[in-house]
Amino acid sequence: MKNIYHLVIKDIIRFLNDKPAVILTFVVPMLLIIIFGNVFGGKGSGPRGKTNIILVNNSNSVVADLIESKLDTSKSLRMIKKYLPADSKDSVLFDEESAKEFVRGGKIMAAIVMPKDFFLDTSSALKFKFYYDPKNEIESAIVQGAMQQTIMTQIPKVMPIILKRKAINYIGSDSTARFYRDMTKTVTKYFGVDSDSFMSELTKVDSSSLFNSSADTSAEANFMGNIIQFDNEQLVGKEISNPGLTRSVGGWAMMFLLFSITGAATSLFEEKQEGTLKRLLCMSVSRADILWSKYIYSTMLGVFQLLVLFVFSWAFFDIDIFSNFFNLMIVIIVSAMAAVSFAMIITATTKTASQANGVSMLLILVMSALGGSWFPIQFMPEWMQTGSKATMTYWSVEAFLSVLWRNAPLSSVYTNIVVLLVFTLLLNAYSLVRFRNGRVF
Amino acid sequence: MLKIKNITKSFGSLTALDNISLDIEKGEFFGLLGPNGAGKTTLINTIIGYLEPELGNVSIDGEDITIENTQLRKKIGYVPQEIALYLELTAYQNLKIFGSIFDLKGNELEKKINEVMELVQLTDRKKDKVKDFSGGMKRRINLAVSLLHNPDIILCDEPTVGVDPQSRNAIFEMLHDLNKEGKTILYTTHYMEEAERLCSRLAIIDNGKIIAQGTLVDLINMLEQKETIKIQKTAFTQDKISAISDMGIISEHDFYYELIVNDKYKQHSKTFIRLEEEGIHNEFVQVSRATLEDVFLNLTGRSLRD
Ligand SMILES: Nc1ncnc2c1ncn2[C@@H]1O[C@H](COP(=O)(O)OP(=O)(O)O)[C@@H](O)[C@H]1O
Ligand SMILES: [Mg+2]
């Protein structure tokens, strides 16, 4: 026991004196977190950069104007509506053709066009045209996302109109009128809403009222809107200040955990090479002492590393680690244990430090890519996602995501924890057999 | 005190140690002389319990050393052939780490560290990283670590490899003093001069076998000729040496040839006359006392350095 304690202290002193290891363990992942934190926004970032896109509004519809005004105030997009033709001094408004020309020429990433028939009196859908250059596919997807977000927030106001038009299209105006009457009766009966105002809200087709009703003061006038907004909140769950980073911090942390712990465990090779291992063994130290000390030290290092990275993300990017801290700690400890078992099996199955480094580098990169450290596995084809589940990274990253994002109770990451423990157990069992056979030292 | 009995150890088809027995008495300075690859380190590894031999056993004061028996090893101070230190750490940190594993702590540990640093004359470099030390200084720290726990037996595995003459002498004197204080020392080397200078008794090992053992005088006395002829290597003598191959066994060294004459040339005068005849002038010829090198040559037909 005393030996193990001294050996762990020895490893800690060695680690603290090994600058490259300290940098790889803490500084590099912190830099990545800073980069990701800023890409996705958060407390530590400056003013957000806006993406320019062209907006052409050819529709007379009030809905189109409403959406245009919303897009104008978007935090992530800047709407460009005019351009300066080569042969003229005065800038002119974009039309659909000139907008397409700009996108084609690579002068702008994308253009949104709301055509004449964007939202006709009889339309039951909004009709956008979106032009983009395929080389900017990813950026376009982001722009579309931002646009959808802007439009979705306006949907509650447009929705009743669309619904109503759909209803009329389907069942004819008479039946529709009857339906509204029955509906109003029912709602009045069960929810105690004033039947007249509800009826008028339901049957209001006049889209010019949109701007007025957007004043969020009248609960009644916003009845439909409230229903939909309610759903909206369900989807998001708790308030997340930096969703992008919250999603990726666990993944990055797990990858660097694997790197640093493999480094810690394979220091056995260095010690064998340098002869210090032999020196220890001919003191009163046993091989079991050395193995135990490596396990304990590596696990401690892993837990500490993860903790530092999460606290760092909390301090600088508002990642909420404390509302579910206990569960986060459990996931941290289990992940560290799994990573140590990975490191030990590498140590037990390779012969030299450089062999161990090569093999572990390859495996860690594959595990990280496949397991969702770099991007959500939902981006992968089905068969690949099946492969993801064979990596410990996947189970760990998912567990981090659950406790950070959904504030999940322990029971919901129970499976992840069990799977990680099974990984740990199997890998450790195999390396112990190898160590016992004296293949390593 | 240290008994090595019928030790046999092989690596695959290679028999690194072939039925080795040695008996080292308390207070002895025992030398193990042999060329590279003879099996010296392998033997030390079995003594410290790092390797388990297929046959035979090692005991200290009658108690067997095994891989499990870690307590007995505290009687041994092992100085590895390689610099077995944490190079990124300071000399002091190294001593502290190894000292704590020897169960030393607090003031006792500090006192012991100061003592051994004094002994290896590196007190002023205590706070420097080992990797910045010269080869000789590393060697001395390597030795200092092994002395922390005040062991009865010191096993030195070629402690002077890659060491400047000054450090080498410092190491010799330190070991000599330790031996005078009553420590038993087992010293391996492939330098016959070291063995001659330091050891009260020695064994010669070659290809995993002990081929001779005894005091220096015993070993020299094994030779029929206690003297050898040394011919300085010069531009003139170099071409003529093949002409005298019939005079005895000739071995080539960096700066001289050594000739162990056969019976016909027992008398020095005859030797000198023949050499003169062959054009090797007496200015280049010298009669020396036989050395362990000669003993090795005589026993194996090879030079120690081959
Ligand atoms: N771990 C090992 N595996 C295989 N062969 C070894 C091993 N250790 C030593 N040997 C071989 O055993 C012989 C003796 O080596 P060693 O004891 O190191 O010699 P010395 O220390 O006298 O120079 C050499 O031929 C060496 O190559
Ligand atoms: Mg050796």
Side-chain angles (χ1 to χ4, degrees), chain B residues 9-12 14-17 32 34-45 51 81 157-158 188-190 205 207-208:
Chain B
K9 171 80 193 168
S10 16
F11 299 109
L14 176 93
T15 308
L17 297 176
L32 186 64
N36 281 324
K40 303 182 294 292
T41 300
T42 308
L43 182 62
I44 299 261
N45 282 345
L51 289 178
Q81 182 170 2
D157 196 1
E158 309 213 28
T188 81
T189 182
H190 66 273
I205 182 171
N207 284 329

Side-chain angles (χ1 to χ4, degrees), chain A residues 10 271 278-279 281-283, chain B residues 45 73 78 84 86 142:
Chain A
K10 171 217 56 167
E271 291 188 57
K278 189 159 109 185
R279 196 194 267 283
L281 286 172
C282 82
M283 296 175 162
Chain B
N45 282 345
R73 292 188 214 158
Y78 162 60
Y86 301 112
N142 207 30

Side-chain angles (χ1 to χ4, degrees), chain A residues 261-278:
Chain A
I261 289 194
T262 309
T266 53
S267 65
L268 262 180
F269 289 118
E270 275 164 48
E271 291 188 57
K272 186 182 174 185
Q273 182 79 31
E274 286 167 356
T276 45
L277 199 61
K278 189 159 109 185

Side-chain angles (χ1 to χ4, degrees), chain A residues 407-437:
Chain A
N407 240 340
L410 207 52
S411 59
S412 75
V413 285
Y414 190 66
T415 320
N416 300 56
I417 288 175
V418 169
V419 171
L420 285 172
L421 287 176
V422 169
F423 265 114
T424 308
L425 221 68
L426 290 179
L427 296 187
N428 281 340
Y430 185 67
S431 4
L432 277 181
V433 170
R434 302 271 307 190
F435 284 131
R436 259 181 188 283
N437 291 346

Side-chain angles (χ1 to χ4, degrees), chain B residues 284-299:
Chain B
F284 301 124
V285 183
Q286 182 196 346
V287 180
S288 327
R289 179 188 67 77
T291 63
L292 286 174
E293 179 74 48
D294 303 312
V295 175
F296 189 81
L297 188 68
N298 185 266
L299 289 167

